[in-house]
Structure formats: C-alpha cells, structure tokens
Amino acid sequence: MEPILLIVFLPLLAAIIGGLGNRALGNVPVKLLTTGALFAACALSWPIFLSFVGGHAVPQVVPVLHWVQSGSLAFEWALRVDTLTAVMLVVVTTVSALVHLYSWGYMAEDPDQPRFFAYLSLFTFAMLMLVTADNLVQMFFGWEGVGLASYLLIGFWFKKPSANAAAIKAFVVNRVGDLGFMLGIFGTYLVFNTVSIPEILVRAPSMAGSTIGFLGMQWDTMTILCILLFIGAMGKSAQLGLHTWLPDAMEGPTPVSALIHAATMVTAGVFMVCRLSPMFEVSPVAMGVVTAVGAATLFFAATIGTTQWDIKRVIAYSTCSQLGYMFVAAGVGAPGAAMFHLFTHAFFKALLFLGAGSVIHAMHHEQDMRYYGGLRKHIPLTFWAMTIGTLAITGVGVVGVFGFAGFYSKDAVLEAAFGAHTGIGTFGFWMGLFAALLTSFYSWRLVFLTFFGKPRWDQSEHIQHSMHDDHHGHHAEHDDGTAGYHPHESPLSMLIPLGTLSLGAVIAGFLFHHEFISAGTGHFWQGSVAFSEELVHHMHAVPTWVKWAPFGVMITGLAAAWYAYIRNPGLPAKVVAAIKPIHTFVYNKWYFDELYNLIFVRPAFWLGDKFWKIGDIAIIDRFGPNGSAWAVLQGSRIAARLQTGYLYSYALVMLLGLTAAISWVLVH
C-alpha cells in the first residue's frame, strides 16, 4: 500500500472508531488508538519530505476512486504528492501527533476525552485531504471538513455559552469566505472546463488579457477568479476583514488552539494561494491585493497583540500577524518564502500555544497575565520552552552565523518584499518591519509578565477559589506572597511535545533554509509553486541594511519590553494614560466586532424578527395553517347545527331536496 494512503486514512479510521466507540471503549483505548495513528502518519510523512529535500523524489498522483462523472465534469478522488504537499504533510502530522500526546495531560480530567480525541483526528484527516487534493472540488471537501471540525473543537465545551458563541462565529465568518471560494471554483470551471489543478495551472497563462462577465460588468478573467479564491483564503487564514473569529476561537481547549492556529486550518488559505500561484502570477492586480491585505493584517494584528492581557489572545493575534507575512511573500511572487515561514511558524507557534497551555494548567486555568509573575522558578521547563518559542518568533539570530527558526523565514519574507522592487512590495516590507518591532515587544512582554517580577497570584479570584478545591495537591507555605499556592510543572505527556517543538523552533530554519529559499530552489520545488530564480537572486542581493533591519527592530522591541515591564514597571500605566484614546481603540480590537454587530448582526436580527412576526406569524400562519383550521372549525359548527337528530327535520330536508331536483328537471 502506498504510504500516502496510510497517512491520510489512518486518522480517519481512528476518528471513526474512537468517535463511535466513545465511552464504550474507554478513555485510554481511544487515546492510544488516535495518538498511535497520528504518530504512525507522522513517521510515514517525514521520509517523503526528506526524499524531496534530498532531490530523490518525483511528484506522483495516487488514485483512490472514480468520484464524479456529470457531463463534461469528471474527476477522480486522487492524492497528489509533490514538494508542496510533502511540506504540509510533515507540518500537519507532526504538530497533530504532538497535540494528541499533549492532550493526554491537559485533558486528563475532562469526562469527554474520547470525543475530544476523535474530533482531533477528524480535523487532521480533513486537513490532509485538503493538502493532498488533486482538484478543486477535493480541496473544497477538505476545506469544509476543517471548518466543520473547527466548529466541533472550538465549541467542545458546549455547556459554556461563550464557547458556543465562538464556534458559531467561526462557522459563520468562514461561510462568508467560503462563498468567495465557491464562486472562484465555479468561475474557474466555467473558464477552463475542468477542476483539475495541474490542467488549470498549465492553461492559466493563456488566459492573460481575457475578460469574463461578473455582476453585470466585464472583468479581467484571472483577476476576478484569483480575488474570489483569495476571499476564501481570507476567511480560513483570518485576514483583515474576516479575522474576527480567530481570537474568539480561544474558547476551545488550548490543544485545539495549537492545532487550528499553528499548523492546520489557518494555514489552509496560504497553502491554497501557493498551490495556485501560477494562476495568481498571471494577474498583477490579484497579487497586489494579496500583498496589501497581508501587509494590513500583519500590522493590524500586531498592534492589538501589544495591548491584550489574555495569554492565549496575545498568541492568537500573533498568529493572525504571522499569516499576514505569509501572504505578503505569496503576493510578491515568493510562495517558497511563504511556505518556509508556514513551515517554521508551525513549530514555534505550536510551541507557544502549548507552552501557554502549560502555564494555564499550572495556574488553575487562569489566563490573565496580570495574575502571573515569577513563574520561571516554579515551572522552569515551561519557561525555557516559551523562551525558545519567543526567540524563534522574534527572529533572534546573527546574519551569516546562526538563528532560530523565525530568523530565517521572517527575514526571507521581508527580503522578498523588498527585492520585488514594486510599490506594493515596498509597502509590505515597511509594514512587516514595523510589525516585527511590535512582535518583539508583545512577545517579550508576555515572557516578562508571566515568568519575571513578583508573583501576583493572590490577586486572582480564580486561583484563590481553586485553592479551596485543589485537585493537584500543590499547597505550601511561602514567604513570597503566594498565599500558600505553589504552581506545578506539567506532566511528562505535556513536556515531551514542548521539548520536541523546542528542537524544531531552534533548528528548523537553519537546516532547511537552503532548500526553501536559496539559489537553485526551483529544483526543490519542482514546479509545485511559481517561485522564480530571479526573485531569489534579488532577495540575496538586497542591501546590507535590509538584512540587518529585522535584527535591529527585534533588539529594540526586546529592550522596550524589558524597560517597561522589568526595569520600570510603572511606565506602561503612564503611557496608557497619556494615549488613552489610542490605547482604548487598539485594546478593543479596532472595534471591528462592534462595527460588524452594528452593520450586519443587528440588522440581520431585526430583519429576521420582522420576517418571523409579520411574514411567518401574521401572514403565513394566519392564512395558512391557522386560517384553514379556523375555516374547518366554523364549517364544523354550521354542520353541527344541521344535525338535529329529529326525524321530521331530516324528512323536511329530503322533501326540499326532492322538490328542488324535480324543479330542475322540469325547467331543463
């Protein structure tokens, strides 16, 4: 059997057995089954990826079954394995396997563990279907599959109203993006008369300059198709305008955050744009839109990350910002750099999310960083893991020597934006550079507030309440103002994934940057993305100050965070007071939720209320079921009056009827 078949279908098999067996099988068998399936898929994925790195593999398509035949529309369910797929296979299976293992400890006290692990495996299967798709319909199948699974996972704790609201929000916002994606698929089939991705990419250049009718006007064919497809990517990858679901998705368990927001669902949009990069290359306008939206998103999300107190929300907005970097790279014609940042981001962002989960686990599910402080002495392994993740996301490294994962990939994105020598590329570069400054600031702010300074646990009502019902037995008397509470390090099942991801965050960029973005990279990609050697040379030929600028802003952000939260802890409050209107605006997420509530949600509820009360109750019910019931009732009352039960009454009626019949016959 082909390894790719096992990689894709083992998680599905585990999800089906674990989900249907549920409590009948028990917690441990379901966890063993799902976790084992994912580690097996991961073990099979890495040799495929390394074979492409070594230049020994060639792209292949593995047919599964004949799927659809309807007129001229015909395609198989087939699994495509090329360099782009190989990258996604190791990202998805590695992070998912580690999240499964991590969840053994994090979800140990949850009564619905079999359902949770089945959902995780189902999510992984849907993402694997997406990245192995050989046609657009198959990609859409996986696309909607991760949407469904994310709804189930975000709302896993369905007894919490906030979790239900977050799940519905994620589902609805993604449906908006999916409408654009569907229109893009329909239009692509209309133009190319096929949904086969290889055929579309081969024929895309021939459509340059052609037009197509849409909304009553003529548009450049590839521009309108690519923008519609990109709207789908905006929803899945939480780009500005369709981003509002991402922070609220933190209502799900922390392992869900790591899986959805580090390696799978949110990267689906980036993958789709990179997979279809030959299409986008035909339309400079569409490429400009991708770059502009990515640049705006990375700046917007980074500003919000500097003001949030919830540890998971800070990392969530960081994800949103990092996805913006990927779209900037894809938009300037460097999908290889976009995929490189996606690859490294999976390691350090999953590390940060799972590290945050370890902190939350230690602090009895308190997520407000204002009630942390001084934790590095109590949870040292988590501290070092989070520090490594922060070193990676902020891009710590020395040019030409060594750097953490983000040093290579984020710098490559900025160099590609500058080296594109376009106005929109330059805009993306400067926005990315400023966002890198903010990223360094809010990332180190998180570390300093959480692990340094004096403990502030006694100020948390949540922790004080938990101390009276401590399931872990970590009470002790201290002289540091901790009121007898002792944060505890996470179990081994949570620490092993942290250690593994830490290793990836340290060496992933150093080991693989040559294959992803160096000269001769076209041999590595083998045409699976449109990454020109010319742009690669421009990236390496940028001025020296461009190469050192990210290092400079990283140091500046680190110094600012250290001074504000270690050296002079009273400074942030003074700055907030001095710029209160700006801080309020940014802290409230630029009021996007309030704006959408005003122009979309409230009018929709008002319209729905009117349709219900006027259309449904006053018209349909009144003249439909209620009206017919009233007519039957009145008719039955009249009929009842005729049924007197007296013989002479019936004889009179018969006589009148007989007289009427004879009269009618005589007249006619």
Side-chain angles (χ1 to χ4, degrees):
M1 181 180 289
E2 292 284 350
I4 188 63
L5 294 174
L6 292 173
I7 292 170
V8 172
F9 290 108
L10 276 177
L12 175 63
L13 183 63
I16 292 174
I17 296 174
L20 296 179
N22 207 294
R23 296 183 185 180
L25 292 176
N27 290 346
V28 174
V30 172
K31 291 193 290 187
L32 282 172
L33 174 67
T34 53
T35 307
L38 261 299
F39 272 95
C42 178
L44 293 169
S45 297
W46 275 97
I48 294 176
F49 171 71
L50 294 175
S51 66
F52 280 96
V53 171
H56 307 303
V58 295
Q60 62 171 325
V61 177
V62 179
V64 177
L65 54 85
H66 189 70
W67 197 8
V68 171
Q69 174 68 59
S70 177
S72 62
L73 179 63
F75 51 86
E76 291 184 332
W77 189 348
L79 306 180
R80 169 165 290 276
V81 183
D82 57 13
T83 307
L84 190 61
T85 303
V87 172
M88 294 303 297
L89 288 179
V90 296
V91 166
V92 173
T93 58
T94 301
V95 174
S96 183
L98 294 174
V99 166
H100 274 72
L101 177 59
Y102 180 93
S103 299
W104 280 60
Y106 193 87
M107 302 294 289
E109 298 176 3
D110 196 284
D112 287 331
Q113 293 177 59
R115 180 166 62 91
F116 180 77
F117 279 83
Y119 285 172
L120 287 181
S121 295
L122 177 64
F123 189 104
T124 307
F125 162 72
M127 190 64 192
L128 291 171
M129 279 300 307
L130 192 158
V131 302
T132 57
D134 190 47
N135 61 73
L136 292 176
V137 178
Q138 187 178 331
M139 181 182 288
F140 188 72
F141 173 84
W143 194 273
E144 293 304 298
V146 294
L148 168 64
S150 68
Y151 171 81
L152 297 173
L153 286 168
I154 294 169
F156 176 75
W157 287 322
F158 56 85
K159 293 182 180 180
K160 290 174 56 181
S162 57
N164 284 325
I168 293 172
K169 187 175 185 180
F171 197 81
V172 171
V173 173
N174 272 277
R175 296 295 73 71
V176 176
D178 291 351
L179 175 61
F181 191 35
M182 285 189 291
L183 292 174
I185 294 174
F186 298 155
T188 302
Y189 174 70
L190 180 67
V191 171
F192 295 99
N193 199 36
T194 181
V195 292
S196 171
I197 293 175
E199 291 184 36
I200 292 169
L201 300 185
V202 169
R203 293 164 54 187
S206 66
M207 299 306 298
S210 64
T211 60
I212 187 174
F214 183 67
L215 299 177
M217 294 181 286
Q218 290 296 120
W219 305 76
D220 180 80
T221 300
M222 298 310 297
T223 296
I224 195 65
L225 293 182
C226 291
I227 290 178
L228 287 171
L229 293 168
F230 177 61
I231 290 173
M234 289 176 63
K236 275 290 182 286
S237 296
Q239 293 301 282
L240 184 62
L242 296 177
H243 67 280
T244 53
W245 67 271
L246 185 63
D248 288 19
M250 297 300 104
E251 289 291 339
T254 299
V256 173
S257 304
L259 185 60
I260 294 179
H261 305 133
T264 54
M265 179 171 167
V266 296
T267 61
V270 178
F271 168 81
M272 185 263 285
V273 172
C274 291
R275 168 64 82 196
L276 303 179
S277 55
M279 281 182 70
F280 283 81
E281 287 281 344
V282 181
S283 172
V285 174
M287 296 284 281
V289 170
V290 173
T291 306
V293 171
T297 302
L298 64 86
F299 168 76
F300 156 81
T303 61
I304 298 175
T306 62
T307 64
Q308 301 300 302
W309 294 112
D310 187 312
I311 187 171
K312 287 174 67 176
R313 282 183 178 267
V314 173
I315 303 173
Y317 278 108
S318 170
T319 297
C320 194
S321 182
Q322 297 305 308
L323 290 165
Y325 279 99
M326 299 175 203
F327 280 114
V328 167
V332 298
M339 291 303 301
F340 186 33
H341 197 47
L342 185 156
F343 178 76
T344 61
H345 174 264
F347 290 102
F348 61 71
K349 187 54 61 66
L351 174 60
L352 288 171
F353 266 122
L354 296 184
S358 184
V359 172
I360 294 167
H361 183 267
M363 299 301 292
H364 281 269
H365 301 285
E366 176 60 69
Q367 296 182 196
D368 194 321
M369 295 185 295
R370 287 172 290 190
Y371 303 126
Y372 289 169
L375 288 176
R376 71 185 188 281
K377 299 177 182 178
H378 301 280
I379 47 174
L381 298 178
T382 299
F383 162 67
W384 283 111
M386 290 287 284
T387 301
I388 290 171
T390 303
L391 291 168
I393 192 174
T394 56
V396 173
V398 178
V399 177
V401 182
F402 177 79
F404 289 81
F407 169 76
Y408 293 97
S409 59
K410 185 157 64 177
D411 286 19
V413 171
L414 294 174
E415 290 168 9
F418 189 91
H421 301 307
T422 61
I424 194 67
T426 303
F427 171 73
F429 168 77
W430 286 109
M431 293 292 276
L433 195 62
F434 184 67
L437 170 66
L438 298 180
T439 300
S440 179
F441 175 79
Y442 68 65
S443 297
W444 289 111
R445 170 180 177 263
L446 183 152
V447 171
F448 294 147
L449 282 172
T450 302
F451 297 105
F452 291 83
K454 295 181 179 180
R456 302 179 294 277
W457 318 327
D458 57 333
Q459 302 173 30
S460 170
E461 295 181 4
H462 188 170
I463 291 179
Q464 291 303 307
H465 176 74
S466 299
M467 286 171 58
H468 297 291
D469 186 26
D470 189 1
H471 299 289
H472 306 283
H474 293 278
H475 287 291
E477 293 297 332
H478 302 290
D479 297 325
D480 57 2
T482 59
Y485 174 73
H486 179 61
H488 54 286
E489 189 62 273
S490 298
L492 196 61
S493 62
M494 295 171 66
L495 294 177
I496 290 175
L498 290 180
T500 305
L501 291 169
S502 296
L503 180 64
V506 173
I507 65 174
F510 176 76
L511 289 180
F512 299 111
H513 73 277
H514 179 79
E515 283 73 19
F516 278 91
I517 57 172
S518 296
T521 189
H523 178 69
F524 171 69
W525 288 112
Q526 299 183 22
S528 60
V529 298
F531 192 13
S532 72
E533 291 288 341
E534 181 182 4
L535 181 55
V536 174
H537 290 303
H538 288 171
M539 290 169 59
H540 293 295
V542 296
T544 303
W545 70 267
V546 173
K547 294 180 178 291
W548 282 95
F551 179 82
V553 298
M554 180 274 298
I555 291 295
T556 303
L558 168 60
W562 174 83
Y563 186 79
Y565 293 97
I566 300 296
R567 184 73 175 84
N568 188 5
L571 180 62
K574 296 178 181 177
V575 174
V576 169
I579 57 170
K580 187 65 175 178
I582 298 176
H583 178 270
T584 302
F585 177 75
V586 176
Y587 179 75
N588 286 284
K589 301 162 286 188
W590 291 29
Y591 289 103
F592 265 95
D593 283 316
E594 290 77 4
L595 178 63
Y596 286 177
N597 184 62
L598 179 64
I599 64 177
F600 294 122
V601 178
R602 289 169 62 181
F605 274 103
W606 177 86
L607 187 62
D609 183 71
K610 295 304 179 186
F611 274 125
W612 168 47
K613 291 182 177 178
I614 298 176
D616 194 14
I617 296 177
I619 298 176
I620 297 175
D621 286 351
R622 180 179 180 185
F623 296 105
N626 292 345
S628 60
W630 177 86
V632 170
L633 178 62
Q634 297 306 313
S636 65
R637 287 176 178 174
I638 295 173
R641 291 175 182 175
L642 296 175
Q643 304 299 322
T644 63
Y646 295 110
L647 181 60
Y648 59 79
S649 296
Y650 298 143
L652 176 62
V653 172
M654 292 174 64
L655 180 61
L656 291 175
L658 181 60
T659 303
I662 294 172
S663 300
W664 185 84
V665 171
L666 293 175
V667 171
H668 291 78

